[in-house]
């Protein structure tokens, strides 16, 4: 039986997808879509956190990319979670922290391994993912629990984010200055005030020299993204490295926000980069064992 670390990014598997509830909140189940390779396994697992400016989006919005990753031999678990304005910060980070612990507890049910679980996020989901990854033991974020997740932590072995909001306050200022009223309102609806935008900022964690987990990080960013000024990912990648972390920034010339939702050459390149990054992280883990 293959180990978690036998991942071959060039492998090809058929993929099936199905939905399961991963938590109960507000009197209803919250679901995850599982993208599962058809093979012996167990396969490495990745938790996906969708974007939508903290106010919208669903777990199925990046199906092309998630299916492409799963087809190489990765189990992708894509979650829905509470949204603003009804559920302000840090609700989405709470749900993500719970979901990674739930994934580790239930991995065998999806032919996945609980070892070396990675994270994948897009846009505001990249922001949420990095807060959960950098503060995996923060009691504000780990408030959700259940008997089945006890004994599992919220750490990530590595993270990947597409066009992420890595500095929530700087992006708010950018949206104000460039007249992106929808982004301004969405940010205010989630964070409620500027102090929370600063405190709940991955870049702010680095700027304040806070103690933080720093898993290896791949950033995928289009240079024609009107939602994310290039200064944000470039500054974050530099700050992450200065703080001792491993950050790779891959820029995609002339690509807009959320470009991997469409099939094409750029999406194929992004997939190959992500798969190669995962393979390197798992190989490094295997060498250390």
């Amino acid at each position: 039986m293959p180990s978690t670390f036998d991942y071959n990014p060039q492998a090809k598997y058929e993929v099936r997808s199905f939905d399961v509830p991963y938590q109960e909140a507000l009197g209803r189940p919250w679901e995850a879509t599982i993208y599962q390779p058809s093979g012996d396994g167990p396969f490495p697992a990745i938790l996906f956190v969708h974007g939508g400016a903290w106010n919208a989006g669903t777990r199925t919005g990046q199906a092309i990319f998630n299916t492409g990753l799963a087809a190489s031999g990765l189990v992708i678990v894509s979650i829905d979670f509470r949204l603003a304005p009804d559920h302000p910060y840090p609700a989405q980070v709470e749900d993500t922290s719970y979901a990674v612990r739930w994934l580790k507890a239930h991995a065998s049910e999806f032919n996945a391994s609980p070892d070396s679980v990675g994270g994948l996020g897009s846009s505001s989901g990249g922001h949420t993912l990095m807060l959960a990854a950098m503060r995996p033991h923060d009691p504000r974020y780990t408030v959700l629990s259940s008997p089945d997740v006890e004994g599992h932590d919220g750490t990530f072995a590595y993270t990947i984010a597409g066009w992420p909001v890595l500095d929530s306050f700087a992006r708010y200022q950018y949206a104000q200055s460039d007249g992106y009223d929808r982004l301004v309102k969405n940010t205010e609806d989630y964070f409620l005030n500027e102090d929370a935008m600063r405190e709940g900022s991955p870049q702010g964690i680095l700027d304040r020299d806070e103690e933080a987990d720093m898993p290896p990080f791949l950033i995928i960013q289009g240079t024609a993204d009107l939602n994310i000024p290039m200064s944000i990912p470039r500054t974050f990648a530099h700050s992450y490295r200065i703080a001792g972390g491993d950050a790779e920034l891959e820029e995609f010339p002339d690509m807009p926000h959320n470009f991997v939702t469409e099939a094409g050459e750029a999406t194929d390149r992004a997939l190959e980069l992500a798969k190669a990054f995962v393979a390197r992280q798992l190989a490094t883990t295997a060498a250390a064992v």
Side-chain angles (χ1 to χ4, degrees):
M1 179 179 290
S3 77
T4 303
F5 312 117
D6 290 336
Y7 172 63
N8 175 8
Q10 303 307 315
K12 303 292 183 185
Y13 294 89
E14 295 294 322
V15 176
R16 75 183 187 101
S17 62
F18 55 95
D19 298 331
V20 297
Y22 78 94
Q23 71 157 316
E24 293 277 342
L26 307 173
R28 54 160 283 193
W30 294 81
E31 292 197 320
T33 295
I34 314 297
Y35 298 87
Q36 180 179 319
S38 298
D40 291 337
F43 296 104
I46 296 177
L47 182 76
F48 173 64
V49 186
H50 71 75
W54 303 286
N55 286 249
T58 71
R59 67 187 187 278
T60 59
Q62 199 168 291
I64 291 174
F65 198 77
N66 287 338
T67 301
L69 289 175
S72 70
L74 299 168
V75 173
I76 309 299
V77 176
S78 178
I79 58 168
D80 273 341
F81 42 79
R82 292 171 292 167
L83 299 173
D86 293 336
H87 306 288
Y89 172 77
Q92 291 173 29
V93 194
E94 294 171 7
D95 293 343
T96 298
S97 174
Y98 180 83
V100 68
R101 288 175 280 142
W102 175 89
L103 170 53
K104 291 177 181 181
H106 293 268
S108 63
E109 299 170 21
F110 318 124
N111 203 14
S113 169
D115 302 321
S116 298
V117 171
L120 172 66
S122 64
S123 194
S124 60
H127 165 271
T128 298
L129 170 66
M130 289 310 293
L131 283 184
M134 295 176 76
R135 294 168 167 168
H137 309 295
D138 191 311
R140 297 170 302 163
Y141 298 166
T142 60
V143 65
L144 300 179
S145 190
S146 61
D148 59 329
V149 306
E150 290 181 5
H152 298 276
D153 66 33
T155 59
F156 289 88
Y158 57 87
T159 52
I160 303 169
W163 42 101
V165 185
L166 295 168
D167 189 333
S168 37
F169 183 64
R171 210 285 290 270
Y172 176 67
Q173 292 178 306
Y174 162 77
Q176 286 181 314
S177 65
D178 281 45
Y180 293 110
D181 295 340
R182 177 185 63 86
L183 295 181
V184 170
K185 185 177 188 306
N186 286 341
T187 307
E188 292 172 346
D189 284 348
Y190 183 54
F191 287 101
L192 304 181
N193 58 67
E194 293 185 3
D195 286 344
M197 294 176 202
R198 293 186 183 93
E199 186 281 323
S201 167
Q203 181 68 49
I205 293 173
L206 300 177
D207 291 346
R208 293 186 294 269
D209 293 322
E210 291 183 20
E211 183 176 345
D213 270 29
M214 303 185 71
F217 184 29
L218 170 65
I219 307 168
I220 296 170
Q221 180 66 57
T223 64
D225 188 338
L226 298 180
N227 283 12
I228 307 290
M230 289 303 302
S231 58
I232 287 180
R234 288 171 179 165
T235 298
F236 187 85
H238 176 73
S239 299
Y240 205 75
R241 295 181 198 120
I242 292 296
D246 177 9
E248 301 178 24
L249 171 59
E250 293 288 348
E251 298 184 11
F252 283 67
D254 304 319
M255 285 294 106
H257 197 71
N258 215 27
F259 66 86
V260 304
T261 58
E262 302 289 337
E265 196 172 300
T267 297
D268 290 343
R269 180 188 164 217
L271 272 170
E272 293 308 308
L273 285 168
K275 291 188 291 185
F277 177 79
V278 172
R280 290 195 300 275
Q281 306 318 313
L282 294 177
T284 299
T285 302
V289 172

